[in-house]
Amino acid sequence: MGKLLLFLSIVILLFLSVGAIYFPHNEIFLLASNSSVYQYIRGVLIFVLIIQLVTQPPRHAWIRCITGAISLSVCIWTINAMYIGQMLPFDGLAFMGASIAIGIAALECRIITPNTSVIEN
């Protein structure tokens, strides 16, 4: 479930990035910004999601702290920007979904292996 959530967040962010660049006047992408700042933020979030997707839990504490801080800051920024009307709806939904996926992956601190033993960090 965790890997699926990370993968779908990557797909959504890539979809918005490519669509906003190549089809900015399409009806779907009028609700997403094609600003270079948003493209950089999407790129950073995709990079963090790929790191979370590649590494296996339990992750190092510093990876969890950094990704947790990124998740929390993106979540607060998105809520604030959506509230004051500065961010378009598709960007807000994509950033919030990626932030939640990163936060869930950052909070994972144990894994149950197939032989039902529990490994804790």
Side-chain angles (χ1 to χ4, degrees), residues 68-83:
I70 290 171
S71 171
L72 188 62
S73 62
V74 168
C75 182
I76 290 170
W77 171 65
T78 303
I79 290 171
N80 187 25
M82 290 282 291
Y83 181 71

Side-chain angles (χ1 to χ4, degrees), residues 5-19 21 38-54 67 70 74 94-95 97-99 101-102:
L5 189 60
L6 293 171
F7 179 72
L8 290 177
S9 294
I10 291 171
V11 168
I12 293 297
L13 288 172
L14 282 174
F15 177 73
L16 281 181
S17 293
V18 172
I21 290 173
Y38 282 103
Q39 295 292 8
Y40 290 134
I41 293 170
R42 287 183 195 124
V44 168
L45 288 177
I46 289 170
F47 177 72
V48 171
L49 286 165
I50 288 173
I51 288 175
Q52 293 284 352
L53 192 62
V54 172
T67 57
I70 290 171
V74 168
F95 291 159
S99 171
I102 293 169

Side-chain angles (χ1 to χ4, degrees), residues 57-74:
R59 294 174 181 89
H60 293 287
W62 62 273
I63 292 177
R64 290 197 324 239
C65 288
I66 291 171
T67 57
I70 290 171
S71 171
L72 188 62
S73 62
V74 168

